[in-house]
Amino acid sequence: FHFFLLCIANGLEEKLGQAEKTELDAHFENLMSRADCTKNWTEKIYRQTEVLLQPNPSARIEEFLYEKLDRKAPNRITNAELLGQHMEDAAKEFDLGTPYGNTLMKVGECEKRLGAAEREFLQTSAISFLTPLRNFLEGDWRTISKERRLLENLRLDLDACKTRLKKAKVAEAKAAMAPDFQETRPRNYVLSASASAAEHELRVAQTEFDRQAEVTRLLLEGISSTHVNHLRCLHEFVEAQASYYKQCHLHMQDLQKELARLPNAFTLNSTQSMATVGSEAEGISSPVDTDTLKIEEVQAPATGTRKAKVLYDYDAADSSELSLLADELITVYTVPGMDSDWLIGERGNQKGKVPVTYLELLS
């Protein structure tokens, strides 16, 4: 108990600068600083990744409780899947035979596929990225922290032993300088024995400290392996994200193509409106047979032309049509009597019929 109090007192004296403190070498200090930095940033990345994968704090708490109770959390439907289900239910209510109901069903099916892809991404990311980070924080880091605390306690013990030996040497030196002829031998004998005991305790404390310092050093050097492991996990996380976003992109492209094949009231109205404007501009009221239309003879009207963005690549079926490349901009217009599914498209000095469903008409 006396020795324990001496350690506490020595720790206070160190803080006050009145006692000797055993310093660790610079390499050891750098290892500890690197370990602290790794722990702090790993914790921040882990927490923010949790928020990214599950923005709902209540859901995160629920998953945490299930994990601590060692029970499997129930499968949670994603927001996209829930939206898709609502759209499908609405489509059935509105009648699948209507353009709106049919489109709702198609979009709802796509949203459910997006939700399924999201759930797969969440599961993959949790296993390949979140779990290794949590294992480090709850496993390796706790071991490192435990050994560091033990090292610090042994350092305080070592410093206490140094203080005891120093005080014993000072007392022995004072007794030798001021001898008492009646009690010289007994007092010197006691002081000498006290100094010898302090030296023995110091050697034991130094040995234990050195042994613990080596154990702690090895654990701290293992942080490099932790970085390598986390690097691999980070690559897997990126691959999971890339795969997820690629799936989403493909699903949306398929949806766009599917919707392009459905009747589109807005596109048809725009086409009919352009046809009316074109007819008024040309002063023509009689329809034209598009089967006998000669593209090279078609002239753009003075008014009524519009810009359009191409949604998908299109290969012309014959010389009367114009091939298209996705994302390019072309000029489009109509001529009286043309099929509402087609427009005349111009790109530079090239001209030909283009399908309306492959275009996004710009204002």
Side-chain angles (χ1 to χ4, degrees):
F1 179 73
H2 175 72
F3 186 72
F4 174 73
L5 292 177
L6 182 60
C7 289
I8 295 177
N10 194 67
L12 292 174
E13 289 178 352
E14 284 183 3
K15 291 183 179 180
L16 296 174
Q18 298 175 353
E20 180 182 357
K21 179 181 179 180
T22 301
E23 298 291 344
L24 301 169
D25 61 77
H27 176 63
F28 199 100
E29 293 286 354
N30 288 336
L31 288 176
M32 289 200 297
S33 176
R34 188 164 179 252
D36 290 335
C37 183
T38 300
K39 182 262 182 181
N40 292 335
W41 282 112
T42 299
E43 200 168 44
K44 290 180 180 179
I45 292 172
Y46 175 79
R47 299 303 178 196
Q48 194 56 42
T49 305
E50 276 191 320
V51 173
L52 172 68
L53 299 181
Q54 179 49 268
N56 187 338
S58 299
R60 291 202 303 272
I61 293 174
E62 181 181 344
E63 292 172 359
F64 174 78
L65 293 176
Y66 272 105
E67 182 181 345
K68 291 303 178 183
L69 294 173
D70 197 20
R71 295 175 57 186
K72 183 179 179 181
N75 289 330
R76 188 187 303 276
I77 188 172
T78 63
N79 290 327
E81 289 175 310
L82 184 59
L83 174 61
Q85 187 61 55
H86 288 339
M87 286 184 170
E88 289 183 351
D89 294 342
K92 295 172 184 177
E93 288 284 337
F94 295 147
D95 185 3
L96 294 175
T98 64
Y100 183 45
N102 196 8
T103 302
L104 269 176
M105 178 60 71
K106 300 296 183 185
V107 177
E109 292 171 350
C110 181
E111 290 295 334
K112 292 177 79 170
R113 289 194 292 270
L114 292 175
E118 180 185 0
R119 192 187 317 109
E120 181 181 354
F121 164 65
L122 297 179
Q123 293 173 349
T124 302
S125 298
I127 295 173
S128 64
F129 191 60
L130 274 185
T131 299
L133 297 186
R134 184 173 64 247
N135 288 343
F136 166 73
L137 294 171
E138 297 180 356
D140 294 350
W141 180 252
R142 287 185 179 180
T143 301
I144 291 174
S145 299
K146 176 183 175 182
E147 298 300 331
R148 284 177 63 176
R149 286 193 299 270
L150 181 56
L151 178 65
E152 178 63 17
N153 291 336
L154 291 176
R155 186 189 67 79
L156 291 175
D157 291 347
L158 178 60
D159 293 346
C161 290
K162 289 179 179 179
T163 300
R164 289 186 62 190
L165 178 59
K166 183 177 180 180
K167 290 180 178 180
K169 291 290 186 181
V170 170
E172 187 178 14
K174 287 183 178 179
M177 293 176 61
D180 186 332
F181 293 104
Q182 294 182 353
E183 296 182 334
T184 296
R185 282 193 64 185
R187 181 183 300 176
N188 287 346
Y189 176 79
V190 171
L191 292 175
S192 179
S194 176
S196 298
E199 289 178 349
H200 175 71
E201 290 176 355
L202 177 60
R203 285 193 296 270
V204 172
Q206 185 69 58
T207 300
E208 292 179 350
F209 174 79
D210 293 340
R211 185 185 301 114
Q212 183 60 33
E214 183 62 24
V215 171
T216 308
R217 183 192 301 273
L218 292 175
L219 289 173
L220 293 174
E221 289 175 346
I223 290 294
S224 297
S225 299
T226 299
H227 285 193
V228 173
N229 182 42
H230 288 182
L231 174 62
R232 177 182 57 81
C233 297
L234 185 59
H235 277 280
E236 293 180 1
F237 179 60
V238 171
E239 289 298 322
Q241 275 190 312
S243 176
Y244 166 59
Y245 291 128
K246 182 179 180 180
Q247 287 185 59
C248 292
H249 179 64
L250 292 176
H251 288 323
M252 294 308 299
Q253 277 190 322
D254 291 341
L255 177 62
Q256 284 182 312
K257 292 179 181 178
E258 200 166 3
L259 294 183
R261 292 192 290 268
L262 298 177
N264 190 326
F266 294 106
T267 303
L268 293 178
N269 289 341
S270 298
T271 304
Q272 292 167 0
S273 175
M274 290 180 62
T276 302
V277 173
S279 298
E280 292 174 353
E282 293 292 329
I284 301 174
S285 59
S286 59
V288 174
D289 185 358
T290 56
D291 292 337
T292 61
L293 182 66
K294 294 183 179 180
I295 295 299
E296 61 274 7
E297 297 178 0
V298 174
Q299 298 295 324
T303 59
T305 62
R306 293 177 66 176
K307 289 292 184 181
K309 179 181 178 181
V310 179
L311 299 176
Y312 322 106
D313 293 346
Y314 176 75
D315 295 325
D318 54 47
S319 59
S320 68
E321 297 180 4
L322 180 66
S323 294
L324 304 173
L325 294 175
D327 297 327
E328 70 174 332
L329 293 178
I330 62 173
T331 300
V332 295
Y333 53 89
T334 187
V335 296
M338 278 192 69
D339 188 331
S340 60
D341 291 335
W342 295 84
L343 292 171
I344 300 297
E346 288 189 2
R347 180 180 55 237
N349 57 2
Q350 295 179 312
K351 184 191 309 180
K353 293 189 299 180
V354 292
V356 172
T357 53
Y358 281 67
L359 304 174
E360 178 187 351
L361 299 177
L362 307 178
S363 58

